[in-house]
């Protein structure tokens, strides 16, 4: 099990969320290729973002709801967050490798698989709005014990993860998919250059 200073963990997650949100805002400039399939069998960039939306749409309200049922004042400057067994495993499994690449592919759960036809601008705006809510929850999380607040997983209501684990998993999951988005952009741009030639 890994452990982190709670305040520092939340500060780092806040920086990551802001960075991811800025990347998403940059995508709004180039919505014309967000529904382009980069390779046969691969998701479009809009689909990747919508996949992330399905997680935000489930977990952000669950986190907000859970915070209402726990006492505040438990998270302090010297508070330590210790990862749980499942949460630690999920973050390690999803973590990009040392070169910033996705080394282990995973299959999306059915409820998190996006439809093929999407309004890219609406999907991205929804993601940015979700990220703003995410930042507010990070701010609220400073008042809670990241070890004690428990959140039900989207794949099973029987499994609950520590708040700190859920926050880490959500951010690492987003980082992982933004690597996928950058790879898709490179493929689409390369394909467009070939068509011009």
């Amino acid at each position: 099990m890994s452990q982190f200073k709670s305040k520092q963990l939340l500060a780092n997650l806040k920086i990551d969320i802001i960075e991811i949100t800025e990347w998403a805002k940059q995508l709004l400039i180039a919505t014309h290729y967000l529904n382009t399939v980069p390779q046969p069998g691969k998701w479009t960039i809009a689909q990747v973002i919508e996949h992330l939306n399905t997680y935000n749409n489930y977990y952000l309200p669950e986190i907000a709801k859970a915070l209402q049922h726990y006492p505040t004042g438990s998270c302090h400057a010297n508070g330590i967050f210790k990862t749980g067994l499942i949460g630690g495993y999920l973050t390690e499994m999803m973590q990009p490798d040392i070169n910033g690449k996705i080394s282990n592919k995973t299959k999306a759960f059915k409820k998190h698989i996006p439809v093929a036809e999407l309004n890219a601008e609406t999907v991205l705006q929804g993601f940015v709005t979700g990220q703003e809510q995410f930042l507010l929850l990070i701010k609220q999380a400073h008042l809670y014990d990241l070890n004690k607040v428990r959140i039900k997983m989207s794949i099973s209501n029987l499994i609950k993860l520590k708040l700190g684990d859920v926050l880490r998993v959500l951010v690492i999951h987003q980082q992982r998919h933004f690597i996928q988005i950058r790879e898709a952009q490179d493929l689409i741009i390369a394909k467009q250059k070939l068509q011009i030639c």
Side-chain angles (χ1 to χ4, degrees), residues 12-34:
N12 291 342
L13 291 174
K14 180 180 176 182
I15 291 166
D16 292 337
I17 293 165
I18 291 169
E19 186 178 70
I20 291 164
T21 307
E22 288 307 309
W23 288 342
K25 286 178 180 175
Q26 288 171 20
L27 291 173
L28 278 166
I29 299 165
T31 55
H32 60 281
Y33 67 71
L34 300 184

Side-chain angles (χ1 to χ4, degrees), residues 38-52:
Q39 278 183 332
K42 298 285 186 186
W43 284 351
T44 66
I45 293 171
Q47 285 177 297
V48 176
I49 297 291
E50 182 61 12
H51 169 72
L52 295 177

Side-chain angles (χ1 to χ4, degrees), residues 102-115:
I102 302 167
S103 53
N104 53 339
K105 307 287 183 187
T106 58
K107 192 173 171 76
F109 291 101
K110 189 176 180 180
K111 64 169 78 173
H112 296 294
I113 296 174
V115 298

Side-chain angles (χ1 to χ4, degrees), residues 4 23 41 46 49 59 73 81 85 99 140 149 159 177 182 190:
F4 308 87
W23 288 342
I49 297 291
Y59 280 104
F81 167 68
L85 193 63
N99 300 312
Q140 288 177 38
V149 178
I159 306 170
H177 280 295
R182 284 198 298 273

Side-chain angles (χ1 to χ4, degrees), residues 3 22 24 26 57 63 174:
Q3 57 182 42
E22 288 307 309
Q26 288 171 20
N57 292 343
I63 293 168
Q174 289 180 359

Side-chain angles (χ1 to χ4, degrees), residues 61-78:
E62 283 297 314
I63 293 168
K65 191 164 57 177
L67 293 181
Q68 295 173 4
H69 299 292
Y70 287 85
T72 59
S74 305
C75 184
H76 50 82
N78 298 318

Side-chain angles (χ1 to χ4, degrees), residues 94-161:
M94 284 195 291
Q95 197 81 257
D97 66 23
I98 197 163
N99 300 312
K101 300 287 183 189
I102 302 167
S103 53
N104 53 339
K105 307 287 183 187
T106 58
K107 192 173 171 76
F109 291 101
K110 189 176 180 180
K111 64 169 78 173
H112 296 294
I113 296 174
V115 298
E117 295 297 319
L118 292 162
N119 181 314
E121 190 170 344
T122 302
V123 166
L124 273 165
Q125 291 288 5
F127 182 73
V128 170
T129 300
Q131 293 299 92
E132 290 164 358
Q133 293 166 358
F134 200 172
L135 283 173
L136 289 174
L137 289 170
I138 290 285
K139 187 175 180 181
Q140 288 177 38
H142 280 274
L143 302 173
Y144 295 85
D145 187 329
L146 303 183
N147 297 290
K148 289 185 178 173
V149 178
R150 300 293 175 131
I151 313 295
K152 289 184 279 190
M153 286 189 72
S154 66
I155 57 168
S156 171
N157 286 339
L158 301 175
I159 306 170
K160 290 187 177 184
L161 298 181

